[in-house]
């Protein structure tokens, strides 16, 4: 892969992260009672709809979806976290999925240690 291709991929990834950083402000909108259409919109566009509970005694939340990513903070067993989306990353005990969490900071948590509450998160 050429240097130009690598730079283009890196810039595109940065644009996706920047766009995602803007999205939570929209998530705080109150959908109110809009009938089925409002519920349908919430299910697909409201990142706070996706939740999970931490199952590990202490889970390192990282800057990248792998164990080499810088630790941003820790989440503890029983903590309910808000999940923005999921992606493939480093496989942890047979599970390659990682969740992008939106609790105060944007950080990745291994899905192996987060049980979904309700529907599974959408793909990033």
């Amino acid at each position: 892969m050429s240097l130009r291709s690598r730079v283009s991929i890196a810039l595109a990834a940065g644009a996706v992260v920047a766009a995602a950083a803007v999205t939570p402000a929209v998530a705080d909108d109150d959908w109110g009672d809009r009938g089925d259409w409002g519920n349908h919109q919430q299910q697909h566009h409201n990142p706070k709809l996706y939740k999970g509970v931490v199952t590990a005694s202490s889970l390192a939340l990282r800057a990248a979806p792998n164990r080499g990513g810088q630790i941003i903070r820790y989440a503890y067993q029983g903590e309910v976290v808000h999940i923005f989306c999921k992606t493939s990353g480093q496989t942890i005990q047979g599970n390659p999925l990682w969740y992008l969490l939106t609790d105060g900071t944007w950080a990745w948590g291994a899905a192996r240690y987060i049980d979904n509450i309700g529907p599974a998160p959408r793909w990033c």
Side-chain angles (χ1 to χ4, degrees):
M1 181 181 291
S2 72
L3 178 59
R4 175 176 260 162
S5 296
R6 288 182 187 155
V7 170
S8 295
I9 290 170
L11 290 174
V16 169
V17 170
V22 175
T23 304
V26 175
D28 290 334
D29 287 347
D30 181 12
W31 287 88
D33 182 16
R34 296 187 185 172
D36 291 337
W37 176 249
N39 291 336
H40 175 76
Q41 289 296 312
Q42 260 186 324
Q43 289 174 345
H44 296 306
H45 299 293
N46 188 344
K48 289 192 176 186
L49 180 66
Y50 304 109
K51 292 183 182 178
V53 63
V54 176
T55 60
S57 59
S58 175
L59 176 61
L61 303 181
R62 300 179 178 274
N66 59 62
R67 286 188 172 159
Q70 177 185 2
I71 296 173
I72 304 294
R73 71 173 187 92
Y74 288 90
Y76 298 96
Q77 188 171 27
E79 184 177 336
V80 174
V81 292
H82 294 93
I83 304 167
F84 184 74
C85 60
K86 65 183 172 187
T87 194
S88 295
Q90 180 180 10
T91 299
I92 307 296
Q93 293 189 357
N95 189 334
L97 297 179
W98 286 70
Y99 293 151
L100 180 56
L101 307 179
T102 64
D103 301 298
T105 59
W106 289 76
W108 293 96
R112 167 67 179 88
Y113 300 109
I114 301 172
D115 284 345
N116 294 331
I117 298 172
R122 68 177 175 274
W123 289 94
C124 296

